[in-house]
Amino acid sequence: MKQSKMFIPTLREVPNDAESKSHQLLLKAGMIKQVASGMYSYLPIAKRVLNKIEAIVREEMEAIDGIEILMPVLQPSELWMESGRWQSYGAELMRMTDRHGREFALGPTHEEIITSLVRDELKSYKKLPITLFQIQNKFRDEKRPRFGLLRGREFIMKDAYSFHATEESLDKTYQDMYQAYTNIFNRVGLLFRPVIADSGAIGGSHTHEFMALAEIGEDTICYTDGSDYAANIEKAEVVYHAKPEHTEEKALEKVHTPGVKTAQALADFLGKRLDEIVKSMIVKVDDQYVMFLIRGHHELNDVKVKAYFGTEFVEMATQDEIVAILGANPGSLGPVGVDKIEIYADNSVQDLNNLAVGANEDEYHYINANIARDFNVKAFGDFRFILEGELAADGHPVKFAEGIEVGQVFKLGTKYSESMNATFLNDQGRAEPMIMGCYGIGVSRTLSAVIEQHHDDKGIIWPTSITPYDVHVISVNPKQEAQQALADQLYTELKANYDVLYDDRNERAGVKFNDADLIGIPVRVVVGKQAAEGIVEVKNRKTGESFEVSVDAIEEKIKSIYATL
């Protein structure tokens, strides 16, 4: 393709709100154009890369017998009401009403549509298992779209769904998908880790996220050097090892604590360490209020609370709700004398006695509160986020890294098939709910994640598997006859074996080289002053190495460079 005929609106400067490196480079390299917050047009270079990512995804899906389909973006509310997600999915679901007053949503995911499709068409165990997938635009009304393609309101996703007669069949497909995803992310050139994750609004009992390591990552990955253990911080188990710091129990004492509203302020006031303070929080679980106790240096983990109670609805009680229940504002709450609501505590709380806690009276706290004597805890459990350096489930100290979620695999079980009556007849002729799995890859997010990992201060450096073009031919001065003739010749010859972008524009050499660095094609062939002698410069974009090469040896040099990439 001749660059004079291409649409690559490169920029010298980028908007101040482009925070991530991938967002900046996508804009500077003329690959995307913002239409509205969280919504982008994909320009020719980006589209070529997306096509290559999608081709890799299709190859790996078809290798495990995935069958491609395409479902509607617009989804009727009735199906979401069947699954129970019309209300529970939340504000991210983009809803609309047609001229007849019928409610629809723009699909953020397609569990409901695919379940309704399969339940109407597949009735026998003989037709199972089956895996169907699509590559399609999805929509989520993100409260704060940011980082360009990493968190948008419209994005490209590969979603797949499998249906099974047995758990063993689901296990096999789950492992096949896990390996296929590993292959995909290796092939596109990502450094990533599969991690134990939370299923969120999708539901299900077992799930892994595939996290691309990046400084701009919005998720924290917990991992160890002692094994292949890795988990999203929301799911990282805190293995409890008792470390009692008990002393002789003292008499309960109420203390006036003016202006003290935080655990740190209470620790400072009492001259204690933060980890000696116990925080009390009121949480609404479904329609019940519950008190949680955790130590001052810990943070309550709502994902673990949801898992413990087996619910999707957990939220912090409001200030008005707290005052109505306990008669005090947050900052002065505690378990002593509480009998209206149940009390749960993180495992590590039982390592302490003579606790400092709120007195349920503004600006007052208790010291020397003791479990069983002064209040009762219904159950202890793992209700908090792990801290860096604590022992992970494999017995080794946990480390933290930032990551971008690029894919996730779920075991859904019968969550959707039961609620939507998707059944099959087993070999005994009895109806059973289909067992399901679902599997997603953020295709546009993967594009951005690759750029986060593959760039330098000049621009993008594409992995060879998804580069928009293989070779970038540049005519330094098209007005010079020998240069123009040789560049035209090389463009024609190289096209036989490579995808070639030919910069034939009437621009200054500096502009062309800057644009070439931004776009990041792996091999650059520069036709310049030595054109008359049949000599050109061949440059490796990744290493910056340049070679003077005769015209007859160009393809050999290109092959040798590609062999090292």
Side-chain angles (χ1 to χ4, degrees), residues 191-347:
L191 176 63
F192 69 96
R193 291 196 74 153
V195 303
I196 301 166
D198 176 56
S199 58
I202 301 295
S205 60
H206 191 74
T207 179
H208 284 83
E209 289 174 339
F210 288 77
M211 306 292 291
L213 304 185
E215 293 180 1
I216 200 67
E218 292 190 289
D219 291 289
T220 300
I221 303 167
C222 303
Y223 70 97
T224 72
D225 292 332
S227 73
D228 61 357
Y229 172 85
N232 190 299
I233 193 170
E234 295 174 330
K235 292 289 288 184
E237 178 186 359
V238 180
V239 180
Y240 177 59
H241 299 280
K243 297 179 181 178
E245 300 179 19
H246 294 172
T247 58
E248 182 180 351
E249 287 190 3
K250 299 179 182 178
L252 184 67
E253 182 180 346
K254 192 174 184 179
V255 179
H256 185 213
T257 51
V260 172
K261 297 182 179 180
T262 67
Q264 185 63 64
L266 182 61
D268 294 340
F269 184 89
L270 298 174
K272 292 179 174 287
R273 302 190 315 268
L274 181 60
D275 63 355
E276 295 178 293
I277 304 300
V278 172
K279 299 184 288 190
S280 305
M281 285 161 287
I282 307 300
V283 175
K284 192 173 184 180
V285 179
D286 290 327
D287 58 353
Q288 299 293 319
Y289 294 98
V290 176
M291 176 178 281
F292 282 94
L293 307 180
I294 63 172
R295 293 172 68 167
H297 64 312
H298 292 154
E299 183 180 351
L300 188 69
N301 184 330
D302 65 325
V303 170
K304 290 182 177 180
V305 174
K306 288 177 182 178
Y308 183 88
F309 286 96
T311 181
E312 293 181 2
F313 184 81
V314 168
E315 65 179 13
M316 298 301 296
T318 66
Q319 183 170 343
D320 289 343
E321 290 170 332
I322 291 169
V323 172
I325 297 168
L326 296 179
N329 286 286
S332 298
L333 308 181
V336 177
V338 172
D339 54 13
K340 295 181 181 179
I341 59 177
E342 293 177 340
I343 300 171
Y344 293 81
D346 183 70
N347 286 321

Side-chain angles (χ1 to χ4, degrees), residues 8 16-17 47 71 91 114 139 178 216 240 258 275 314 340 369 394 439 441 445 476 503 508 563:
I8 312 176
N16 293 330
D17 60 351
K47 187 64 174 72
M71 293 177 278
I114 196 71
F139 300 85
Y178 186 101
I216 200 67
Y240 177 59
D275 63 355
V314 168
K340 295 181 181 179
D394 68 352
Y439 321 89
I441 287 178
R445 180 176 278 203
V476 174
D503 193 345
R508 291 180 290 107

Side-chain angles (χ1 to χ4, degrees), residues 36-313:
S37 177
M39 298 168 59
Y40 295 87
S41 294
Y42 300 94
L43 305 186
I45 292 292
K47 187 64 174 72
R48 290 182 68 89
V49 177
L50 288 170
N51 289 346
K52 291 195 173 183
I53 296 173
E54 290 177 9
I56 290 171
V57 170
R58 286 188 172 97
E59 287 174 13
E60 294 295 340
M61 289 297 98
E62 290 170 2
I64 57 171
D65 298 325
I67 305 164
E68 186 169 8
I69 61 172
L70 186 62
M71 293 177 278
V73 169
L74 202 60
Q75 304 187 22
S77 63
E78 293 90 343
L79 292 177
W80 283 69
M81 289 177 182
E82 282 188 52
S83 71
R85 291 206 300 172
W86 184 249
Q87 298 300 331
S88 67
Y89 196 91
E92 288 186 357
L93 186 63
M94 288 190 171
R95 308 163 202 260
M96 62 196 64
T97 305
D98 70 8
R99 68 180 67 190
H100 304 294
R102 188 179 180 191
E103 291 183 299
F104 292 85
L106 292 177
T109 182
H110 274 68
E111 283 78 14
E112 284 79 7
I113 294 281
I114 196 71
T115 303
S116 70
L117 172 65
V118 171
R119 76 178 174 190
D120 294 339
E121 302 300 330
L122 301 182
K123 300 296 186 182
S124 170
Y125 74 96
K126 296 178 181 179
K127 300 292 187 179
L128 302 176
I130 190 170
T131 299
L132 304 172
F133 78 93
Q134 65 174 352
I135 298 176
Q136 185 198 62
N137 284 28
K138 296 288 194 285
F139 300 85
R140 290 178 190 162
D141 193 4
E142 291 284 353
K143 186 175 183 179
R144 189 189 171 200
R146 59 196 305 232
F147 301 144
L149 304 183
L150 292 178
R151 184 165 294 280
R153 301 169 75 192
E154 180 178 2
F155 52 94
I156 302 170
M157 180 176 171
K158 187 283 300 181
D159 47 323
Y161 308 89
S162 63
F163 295 81
H164 309 267
T166 65
E167 291 285 351
E168 292 76 16
S169 175
L170 172 60
D171 290 344
K172 181 182 184 307
T173 297
Y174 188 91
Q175 288 304 316
D176 287 345
M177 280 286 180
Y178 186 101
Q179 186 58 53
Y181 277 34
T182 299
N183 296 345
I184 288 165
F185 296 126
N186 278 328
R187 288 179 65 183
V188 301
L190 279 178
L191 176 63
F192 69 96
R193 291 196 74 153
V195 303
I196 301 166
D198 176 56
S199 58
I202 301 295
S205 60
H206 191 74
T207 179
H208 284 83
E209 289 174 339
F210 288 77
M211 306 292 291
L213 304 185
E215 293 180 1
I216 200 67
E218 292 190 289
D219 291 289
T220 300
I221 303 167
C222 303
Y223 70 97
T224 72
D225 292 332
S227 73
D228 61 357
Y229 172 85
N232 190 299
I233 193 170
E234 295 174 330
K235 292 289 288 184
E237 178 186 359
V238 180
V239 180
Y240 177 59
H241 299 280
K243 297 179 181 178
E245 300 179 19
H246 294 172
T247 58
E248 182 180 351
E249 287 190 3
K250 299 179 182 178
L252 184 67
E253 182 180 346
K254 192 174 184 179
V255 179
H256 185 213
T257 51
V260 172
K261 297 182 179 180
T262 67
Q264 185 63 64
L266 182 61
D268 294 340
F269 184 89
L270 298 174
K272 292 179 174 287
R273 302 190 315 268
L274 181 60
D275 63 355
E276 295 178 293
I277 304 300
V278 172
K279 299 184 288 190
S280 305
M281 285 161 287
I282 307 300
V283 175
K284 192 173 184 180
V285 179
D286 290 327
D287 58 353
Q288 299 293 319
Y289 294 98
V290 176
M291 176 178 281
F292 282 94
L293 307 180
I294 63 172
R295 293 172 68 167
H297 64 312
H298 292 154
E299 183 180 351
L300 188 69
N301 184 330
D302 65 325
V303 170
K304 290 182 177 180
V305 174
K306 288 177 182 178
Y308 183 88
F309 286 96
T311 181
E312 293 181 2
F313 184 81

Side-chain angles (χ1 to χ4, degrees), residues 510-525:
V511 171
K512 293 186 176 187
F513 294 149
N514 285 337
D515 285 351
D517 284 333
L518 272 175
I519 295 168
I521 296 168
V523 175
R524 185 184 310 171
V525 176

